[in-house]
Amino acid sequence: MHYYTDVLKKYATFKGRATRTEFWMFVLIDSIISVALYVGGPALGLGSVPLLIYTVATVLPSLAVTVRRLHDTSRSGWWCLLSFAPLLGVIWLMVMLAGRSDYDETYGPYPGTADPLPAV
């Protein structure tokens, strides 16, 4: 759960990097909450209002963690625009997000290390 709260603490931080675990755990917990609100809102007679409020509140952190994850794979955050391409763009973006971390420090030091990594 700390992965989820860590992303929310960095609400609109687009600089830096996010590990694969941090990104995918955020996506998992965010999806569980969204499904719960999708089912629970109408069951409680609130309609889709709770889901709408939650979605608006988490759109910026979701975008920020996606950009940070792309930075961790040594790609620019502008690759997020690929999600606007029908079907293949979203699939290609998911492949890039699932890729391994790169130790290139163009976008900052590797997460969890305070000092830059030694050159290999």
Side-chain angles (χ1 to χ4, degrees), residues 7 13 18 22-23 26 60-70:
V7 169
T13 304
E22 179 182 7
F23 175 77
F26 175 79
L60 201 55
S62 298
L63 183 61
V65 75
T66 302
V67 168
R68 289 195 313 269
R69 176 67 194 135
L70 285 168

Side-chain angles (χ1 to χ4, degrees), residues 2 4 10 17 19-20 22 24 26 28 32 39 42 51 57 66 74 78 80 83 94 98 100-101 111 114:
H2 72 87
Y4 182 78
K10 300 175 189 173
R17 299 162 62 151
T19 62
R20 190 182 325 184
E22 179 182 7
W24 289 110
F26 175 79
L28 175 68
I32 290 170
V39 173
L51 178 62
T66 302
S74 289
W78 289 104
C80 284
S83 63
M94 288 296 134
R100 68 174 184 79
S101 297

Side-chain angles (χ1 to χ4, degrees), residues 33-72:
I33 292 171
S34 295
V35 168
L37 291 172
Y38 180 78
V39 173
L44 295 173
L46 299 173
S48 61
V49 173
L51 178 62
L52 179 66
I53 292 170
Y54 177 76
T55 303
V56 168
T58 59
V59 72
L60 201 55
S62 298
L63 183 61
V65 75
T66 302
V67 168
R68 289 195 313 269
R69 176 67 194 135
L70 285 168
H71 287 174
D72 194 45

Side-chain angles (χ1 to χ4, degrees), residues 97 108 110:
L97 292 170
Y110 188 75

